[in-house]
């Protein structure tokens, strides 16, 4: 186990700033997720921590030691690639034994270690097979077993679930988290999938344009977004944002409900919206519409749980309400969070 | 269309496929058949215009094979060819493997242009190069030595094989190499333990191809070597079995057959990989 720290780390590819000054401290045993759209620099950052990419400037520390000049093999890390990167010409057994042999592990202890790693991921019966004879889920387990077998101090995972089908991904996510909790190894996980990030991470670093936009627990980044990027990136559908004068106001689609459905003990803001289209998505009903009065003609998406049986007809105008505390405000020029503006009081 | 017509059409398509396949097989195998026939044919049988050239009209004979093995230095030439071939293969592998790997991993335009540049040197024909190269050979004191060929042949085997190996290395995902580097190897270690075992097909292709090029080379062999005991097959056979305007057809065909069959078999074993090696670089 070890901490991982980056100090003002930068990476330039020509003129492109792939990573632009990232300061991070991953605590011992923590599960940290780098979340962001493709091209935001999250994979480059991970590869710099692994030593596969050299930073243009800044320091990387693993376990308190500066590792800038150490090659990947000397950093006591293990990495699982998006493609799993199994060695196709070796059996599962030899794949898992490979890091042990490479590091000069005593030969007589190798079989025991391999079997331990294989049984941890339930692939003990596949040891004699070649990677091409395995399913996607089995390959992913082999990649994890290969990463675990030499008990590294840090795990680096680069979108390890993205090649699995949706159903398998859910169970693999659950297993991965349980496993990480059990062995307690510091883990950095890269993904563009917010559901994975929210479900797995102790903390999430939301990245965009090579910078960390917000670092916090899943609840923090979802409920208290630090800027309009985070607000717009997290959530499906994302937060509704309305530009006005010098500020931007926003609320999540699921907090904006027909006026009668709210618990009345908290102060509410009521707004009118005309609904154009209704989508039934099973557990949710999505309403697409445009706002009236305060934010005229601004588009809005509303998410109502299927348990609400209220009839909604496209073309009609309805009165909706959102709790005051659920409205977030951002500076219009910087996009950063600001104090509440209480626009609803000016109106009345 | 009725069920019967579909059935008839399916049979027709099958017959068509079979016909095309048979035509190609006949085309490819015909030279071997003719060589083998002629090898054991009496010269009088061969030369008679009234005889069908593809069949025996007189008893087959071993005379031509005897001439080939006992009246010429054919075995010595085979040995010379194998000797030169072995050394050229070795030099080509030692040079082309690191070169191909570097070009495959050099990202951007530089690697691509360098690769094309190296390939272009392959296109300069020996008929242009043999005069300047003979100067090089004589200043090194290698005239009439098999080592002159060992020195000169890599000038066309290396460019082509570098290009070929570049294609093979390019399809090996970088991830796999990086995984090996994280698992405890240096870049060289990752190359030897992971990339090389995955590129065996490419290396075999290079060996076969280099050997074929060495076997069929004529111009350098003819100009740099004078003693008949140091000829390669491709020079010795036409020099000794074509005397004036007399062609020793039976022995000539025998010499070609014996030299070409092993190569043909090897090609057939690796033809898929061979074509893959040519095309991978082109698509991706």
């Amino acid at each position: 186990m070890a901490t991982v720290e980056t100090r003002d780390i930068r990476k330039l590819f020509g003129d492109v700033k792939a990573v632009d000054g990232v300061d991070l401290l991953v605590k011992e045993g923590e599960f940290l997720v780098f979340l962001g759209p493709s091209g935001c620099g999250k994979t480059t950052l991970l590869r710099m921590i692994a030593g596969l990419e050299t930073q243009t400037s800044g320091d990387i520390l693993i376990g308190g030691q500066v590792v800038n000049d150490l090659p990947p093999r000397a950093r006591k890390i293990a990495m699982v690639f998006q493609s799993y990167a199994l060695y196709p010409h070796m059996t599962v057994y030899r794949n898992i034994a490979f890091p042990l042999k490479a590091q000069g592990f005593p030969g007589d202890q190798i079989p025991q270690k391999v079997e331990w790693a294989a049984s941890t991921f339930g692939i003990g019966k596949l040891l004699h097979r070649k990677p091409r004879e395995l399913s996607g889920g089995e390959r992913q387990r082999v990649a994890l077993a290969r990463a675990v077998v030499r008990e590294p101090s840090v795990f680096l995972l680069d979108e390890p679930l993205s090649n699995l089908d949706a159903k398998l991904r859910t169970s693999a996510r659950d297993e991965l988290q349980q496993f990480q909790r059990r062995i307690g190894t510091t883990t950095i996980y890269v993904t563009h999938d917010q559901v994975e990030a929210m479900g797995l991470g102790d903390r999430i670093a939301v990245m965009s344009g090579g910078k960390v936009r917000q670092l916090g627990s899943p609840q923090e980044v979802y409920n208290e977004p630090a800027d309009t990027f985070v607000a717009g990136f997290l959530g499906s559908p994302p937060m509704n944002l309305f530009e006005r004068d010098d500020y931007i106001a926003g609320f999540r689609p699921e907090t904006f409900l027909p006026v009668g459905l709210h618990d009345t003990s908290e102060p509410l803001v009521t707004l009118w919206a005309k609904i154009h289209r209704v989508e039934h998505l099973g557990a949710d009903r999505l309403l697409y519409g445009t706002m009236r009065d305060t934010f005229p003609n601004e588009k809005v998406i509303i998410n109502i749980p299927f348990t609400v049986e209220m009839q909604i007809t496209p073309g009609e105008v309805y009165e909706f309400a959102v709790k005051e505390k659920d409205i977030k405000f951002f500076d219009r020029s910087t996009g950063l969070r600001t104090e509440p503006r209480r626009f609803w009081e000016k109106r009345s | 269309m009725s069920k019967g017509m579909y059935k008839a059409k399916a049979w027709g398509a099958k017959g068509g496929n079979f016909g095309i396949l048979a035509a190609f097989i006949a085309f490819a195998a015909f030279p071997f058949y003719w060589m083998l026939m002629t090898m054991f044919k009496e010269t009088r049988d061969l030369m008679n215009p009234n005889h069908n050239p593809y069949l025996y009209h007189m008893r087959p004979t071993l005379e031509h094979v005897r001439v080939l093995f006992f009246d010429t230095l054919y075995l010595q030439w085979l040995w010379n060819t194998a000797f030169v071939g072995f050394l050229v293969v070795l030099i080509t592998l030692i040079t082309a493997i690191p070169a191909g790997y570097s070009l495959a991993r050099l990202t951007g335009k530089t690697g691509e242009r360098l690769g094309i540049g190296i390939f272009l040197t392959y296109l300069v024909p020996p008929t242009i190069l043999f005069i300047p190269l003979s100067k090089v050979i004589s200043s090194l004191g290698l005239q009439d030595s098999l080592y002159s060929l060992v020195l000169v042949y890599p000038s066309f085997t290396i460019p082509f094989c570098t290009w070929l190996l570049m294609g093979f290395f390019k399809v090996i995902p970088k991830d796999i190499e990086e995984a090996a580097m994280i698992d405890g190897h240096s870049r060289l270690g990752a190359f030897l333990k992971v990339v090389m075992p995955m590129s065996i097909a490419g290396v075999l292709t290079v060996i076969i191809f280099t050997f074929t090029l060495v076997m069929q080379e004529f111009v350098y062999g003819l100009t740099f070597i004078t003693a008949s005991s140091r000829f390669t097959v491709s020079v010795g056979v036409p020099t000794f079995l074509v005397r004036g305007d007399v062609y020793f057809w039976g022995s000539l065909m025998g010499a070609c057959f014996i030299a070409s069959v092993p190569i043909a078999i090897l090609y057939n074993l690796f033809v898929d990989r061979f074509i893959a090696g040519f095309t991978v670089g082109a698509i991706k």
Side-chain angles (χ1 to χ4, degrees):
Chain A
M1 267 195 278
T3 58
V4 176
E5 194 178 349
T6 67
R7 289 183 186 159
D8 195 28
I9 193 165
R10 285 165 206 278
K11 177 72 184 180
L12 297 174
F13 290 114
D15 296 333
V16 182
K17 289 177 184 166
V19 174
D20 191 12
V22 170
D23 288 287
L24 272 180
L25 175 64
V26 191
K27 294 176 228 158
E28 265 192 28
E30 187 179 24
F31 198 125
L32 182 77
V33 179
F34 294 166
L35 173 67
S38 44
C40 72
K42 57 191 190 300
T43 296
T44 308
L45 183 57
L46 188 80
R47 288 171 58 83
M48 285 193 286
I49 294 169
L52 295 170
E53 212 79 64
T54 315
Q55 64 269 33
T56 311
S57 67
D59 291 323
I60 295 168
L61 292 85
I62 296 177
Q65 186 200 354
V66 178
V67 295
N68 294 353
D69 299 321
L70 292 182
R73 63 182 184 280
R75 296 190 179 193
K76 290 184 195 149
I77 48 161
M79 186 158 164
V80 176
F81 291 81
Q82 187 174 3
S83 64
Y84 311 139
L86 300 179
Y87 309 122
H89 57 299
M90 297 181 190
T91 58
V92 169
Y93 178 90
R94 288 187 56 212
N95 260 283
I96 300 174
F98 189 85
L100 298 176
K101 283 186 185 155
Q103 296 189 323
F105 205 78
D108 53 333
Q109 291 172 37
I110 289 178
Q112 199 188 328
K113 290 286 283 182
V114 171
E115 256 155 51
W116 165 76
S119 64
T120 305
F121 292 98
I123 49 169
K125 287 185 179 159
L126 306 174
L127 288 175
H128 58 280
R129 295 220 203 146
K130 289 271 179 75
R132 65 170 177 276
E133 299 161 342
L134 303 176
S135 70
E138 288 166 344
R139 282 179 203 179
Q140 191 239 357
R141 285 151 185 270
V142 175
L144 285 169
R146 186 177 69 183
V148 170
V149 72
R150 67 205 152 106
E151 301 174 48
S153 42
V154 180
F155 274 132
L156 306 175
L157 304 161
D158 186 5
E159 311 214 11
L161 305 182
S162 62
N163 285 336
L164 302 179
D165 62 57
K167 199 176 167 191
L168 203 53
R169 204 179 302 165
T170 312
S171 62
R173 196 167 72 214
D174 182 44
E175 283 173 25
L176 192 64
Q177 193 181 36
Q178 280 184 21
F179 163 75
Q180 198 269 343
R181 293 272 180 277
R182 198 163 67 234
I183 61 166
T185 305
T186 311
T187 302
I188 303 176
Y189 185 103
V190 163
T191 183
H192 64 267
D193 182 332
Q194 46 172 308
V195 179
E196 265 174 40
M198 302 286 285
L200 283 169
D202 292 324
R203 285 192 299 163
I204 299 175
V206 185
M207 292 185 68
S208 159
K211 289 183 194 295
V212 173
R213 295 304 189 97
Q214 188 173 4
L215 178 62
S217 70
Q219 296 75 26
E220 272 167 9
V221 292
Y222 190 80
N223 295 329
E224 304 298 336
D227 62 15
T228 47
F229 173 80
V230 178
F233 186 72
L234 284 168
S236 173
M239 187 179 267
N240 293 299
L241 294 170
F242 308 105
E243 292 188 6
R244 225 182 168 220
D245 305 330
D246 61 336
Y247 68 88
I248 297 171
F251 49 78
R252 296 242 169 242
E254 65 272 18
T255 61
F256 195 52
L257 296 174
V259 75
L261 293 169
H262 276 284
D263 178 353
T264 47
S265 65
E266 287 183 78
L268 294 177
V269 179
T270 55
L271 296 163
W272 291 81
K274 183 177 182 181
I275 302 305
H276 301 297
R277 201 159 67 82
V278 180
E279 260 179 17
H280 296 275
L281 299 180
D284 299 305
R285 189 156 39 143
L286 292 188
L287 315 177
Y288 295 84
T290 46
M291 299 296 282
R292 289 297 170 95
D293 47 44
T294 319
F295 308 107
N297 292 324
E298 296 249 27
K299 289 207 158 91
V300 67
I301 303 176
I302 302 152
N303 186 351
I304 305 179
F306 85 107
T307 46
V308 175
E309 287 171 8
M310 181 181 155
Q311 179 69 34
I312 306 262
T313 320
E316 298 288 312
V317 177
Y318 294 90
E319 191 179 24
F320 292 89
V322 53
K323 288 176 190 164
E324 272 183 27
K325 70 173 176 66
D326 285 337
I327 307 179
K328 314 294 173 192
F329 294 85
F330 306 91
D331 186 283
R332 194 168 165 179
S333 53
T334 62
L336 296 175
R337 267 296 276 284
T338 57
E339 290 301 305
R341 296 303 186 94
R342 310 194 71 80
F343 59 84
W344 52 90
E345 284 176 0
K346 265 189 255 167
R347 226 179 98 236
S348 54
Chain B
M1 257 193 290
S2 73
K3 209 172 166 184
M5 273 178 82
Y6 275 117
K7 232 178 183 173
K9 266 201 145 182
W11 278 106
K14 261 186 194 166
N17 284 347
F18 184 78
I20 291 168
L21 198 63
F24 271 103
I25 290 172
F27 178 75
F30 177 72
F32 290 94
Y33 169 73
W34 206 359
M35 281 195 282
L36 194 67
M37 284 292 297
T38 313
M39 189 174 163
F40 299 110
K41 214 170 199 177
E42 284 280 2
T43 308
R44 280 174 295 142
D45 185 5
L46 183 71
M47 296 297 183
N48 189 335
N50 297 322
H51 287 180
N52 185 339
Y54 310 125
L55 297 170
Y56 287 114
H57 295 266
M58 296 159 81
R59 278 170 62 97
T61 171
L62 285 171
E63 173 61 13
H64 304 306
V65 181
R66 191 198 61 76
V67 169
L68 184 64
F69 280 97
F70 297 103
D71 293 356
T72 72
L73 293 166
Y74 186 64
L75 282 176
Q76 179 70 43
W77 300 334
L78 278 180
W79 165 250
N80 291 346
T81 309
F83 175 77
V84 173
F86 174 78
L87 287 179
V88 173
V89 164
L90 208 66
I91 292 170
T92 306
L93 284 179
I94 289 170
T95 325
I97 287 174
Y101 175 71
S102 315
L103 287 173
R105 288 293 181 251
L106 251 180
T107 49
K109 287 259 179 243
T110 329
E112 199 177 307
R113 284 187 189 147
L114 213 58
I116 291 170
I118 287 175
F119 185 72
L120 284 178
T121 63
Y122 172 75
L123 301 179
V124 182
T127 37
I128 290 174
L129 285 176
F130 82 94
I131 296 171
L133 281 176
S134 68
K135 190 99 177 159
V136 175
I137 295 300
S138 69
S139 65
L140 289 171
L142 290 175
Q143 311 97 309
D144 202 14
S145 158
L146 283 176
Y147 290 103
S148 66
L149 302 182
V150 172
L151 186 73
V152 169
Y153 286 174
S155 71
F156 56 81
T157 58
I158 289 172
F160 190 84
C161 295
T162 301
W163 181 263
L164 203 68
L165 281 171
M166 191 173 90
F168 276 94
F169 290 138
K170 259 190 184 161
V171 289
I172 295 177
K174 269 189 189 170
D175 281 4
I176 291 185
E177 247 172 288
E178 288 174 346
M181 283 165 73
I182 285 176
D183 283 347
H185 283 288
S186 61
R187 182 171 277 277
L188 181 67
F191 176 75
L192 294 176
K193 292 273 178 185
V194 176
V195 178
M196 278 311 286
M198 288 173 70
S199 313
I200 283 295
V203 172
L204 285 174
T205 309
V206 162
I207 293 173
I208 296 170
F209 192 81
T210 304
F211 210 83
T212 318
L213 280 179
V214 167
M215 267 192 121
Q216 69 188 33
E217 204 289 324
F218 184 74
V219 176
Y220 294 137
L222 186 70
T223 44
F224 298 156
I225 305 286
T226 24
S228 59
S229 65
R230 284 191 281 276
F231 278 165
T232 54
V233 165
S234 60
V235 178
V237 168
T239 310
F240 275 80
L241 295 173
V242 182
R243 298 187 192 156
D245 57 355
V246 181
Y247 285 73
F248 289 69
W249 280 120
S251 307
L252 269 172
M253 289 298 199
C256 293
F257 184 79
I258 292 165
S260 59
V261 161
I263 297 285
I265 289 170
L266 277 177
Y267 256 100
N268 274 298
L269 288 177
F270 295 104
V271 68
D272 291 345
R273 313 270 193 163
F274 195 65
I275 290 165
F278 275 113
T279 49
V280 275
I283 304 164
K284 271 196 170 176

